[in-house]
Amino acid sequence: MLFDARQHPHAQRVYHTGMRLARECTMSLATQHAAANLVASTAYQAAWLGHHNDAAQLLDIASRTPDLPSAVAAVINDRRVYAAGRRQDPEAVARFRDEALAHAGTQDGRTPWWATWLTPESVDAATGRAWLACGQPSRAVPFLISRVEAVSAVDYPRDRLLAVLDLADTVHKGGDADQARDLLGQAEDLLGRVSSQRVVHRYENLSAAVAA
């Protein structure tokens, strides 16, 4: 929530507090797995802010956690897809996407509740964002279309809004301003149902870029 509110230093402190508490309590495997998720979430924020080396190191740490459930390994690799795109590493984007999907497709009966959100379409969203960050919007489009089509505006308005903004950004960078405007119209309809300064800021910046 703090990350969505663009309060990045506060978000970092919350993540660090969670990791400190995890170290101080009895380190069961479940606690170690939850700590790995915190580390991966911190890495996602680092990648968003352009701290690519920090993001890669944090994700390496998270991935070395022992006996990870398949779903948790999938979440970590999903974060690695996005981080790879942000640091302009297309080979790693493809590799980590394959690993995320392989783990997501393995049912080991050990999925913690906080990892149930990850689906193949979620990995598509990370892949599309990664290709966009790599400056390859044409490669991003099919993945982002898949994500938009999969997420319900009624049940998950924030996820739908993020997906629509990702696709609008991508088609705009690909030279289709008309489609970008249509997608921004869809995004505007969803804004009133989502409380996220980060998303609003992105919508405003993208609207200005398309109007220019």
Side-chain angles (χ1 to χ4, degrees):
M1 292 175 65
L2 288 168
F3 181 41
D4 255 3
R6 305 183 72 230
Q7 297 183 32
H8 300 132
H10 293 313
Q12 287 285 73
R13 283 195 288 274
V14 170
Y15 287 136
H16 291 161
T17 298
M19 287 186 280
R20 177 177 57 78
L21 291 172
R23 286 194 299 270
E24 291 175 357
C25 70
T26 302
M27 285 299 282
S28 66
L29 273 178
T31 301
Q32 292 181 57
H33 299 158
N37 183 57
L38 280 173
V39 172
S41 297
T42 305
Y44 181 85
Q45 177 172 316
W48 177 273
L49 296 174
H51 304 154
H52 306 310
N53 290 336
D54 290 345
Q57 290 172 9
L58 288 167
L59 287 162
D60 284 344
I61 291 168
S63 67
R64 292 197 295 269
T65 304
D67 198 23
L68 285 170
S70 294
V72 180
V75 168
I76 292 169
N77 279 288
D78 178 79
R79 301 303 195 194
R80 296 182 99 166
V81 171
Y82 176 72
R86 292 285 290 175
R87 67 174 183 269
Q88 306 281 302
D89 188 346
E91 185 276 331
V93 170
R95 183 173 76 254
F96 291 134
R97 170 182 166 78
D98 288 345
E99 292 185 17
L101 290 173
H103 286 296
T106 301
Q107 303 298 322
D108 59 7
R110 299 191 299 142
T111 302
W113 65 265
W114 43 261
T116 57
W117 62 270
L118 190 86
T119 64
E121 291 78 22
S122 303
V123 179
D124 282 346
T127 306
R129 292 184 195 122
W131 286 129
L132 180 60
C134 280
Q136 300 186 39
S138 63
R139 297 187 73 172
V141 167
F143 296 108
L144 296 176
I145 289 176
S146 170
R147 177 58 171 168
V148 169
E149 291 176 346
V151 65
S152 165
V154 175
D155 297 327
Y156 303 103
R158 179 184 175 278
D159 290 349
R160 173 74 175 213
L161 177 55
L162 286 170
V164 169
L165 288 175
D166 286 335
L167 185 55
D169 193 4
T170 302
V171 298
H172 177 243
K173 286 186 168 71
D176 192 338
D178 288 339
Q179 187 179 5
R181 279 190 286 270
D182 288 344
L183 288 163
L184 285 171
Q186 295 179 36
E188 186 176 14
D189 293 339
L190 291 166
L191 276 177
R193 301 175 56 198
V194 175
S195 178
S196 169
Q197 291 182 29
R198 179 169 67 103
V199 174
V200 171
H201 184 258
R202 187 175 182 207
Y203 169 81
E204 290 174 346
N205 284 347
L206 184 53
S207 295
V210 171

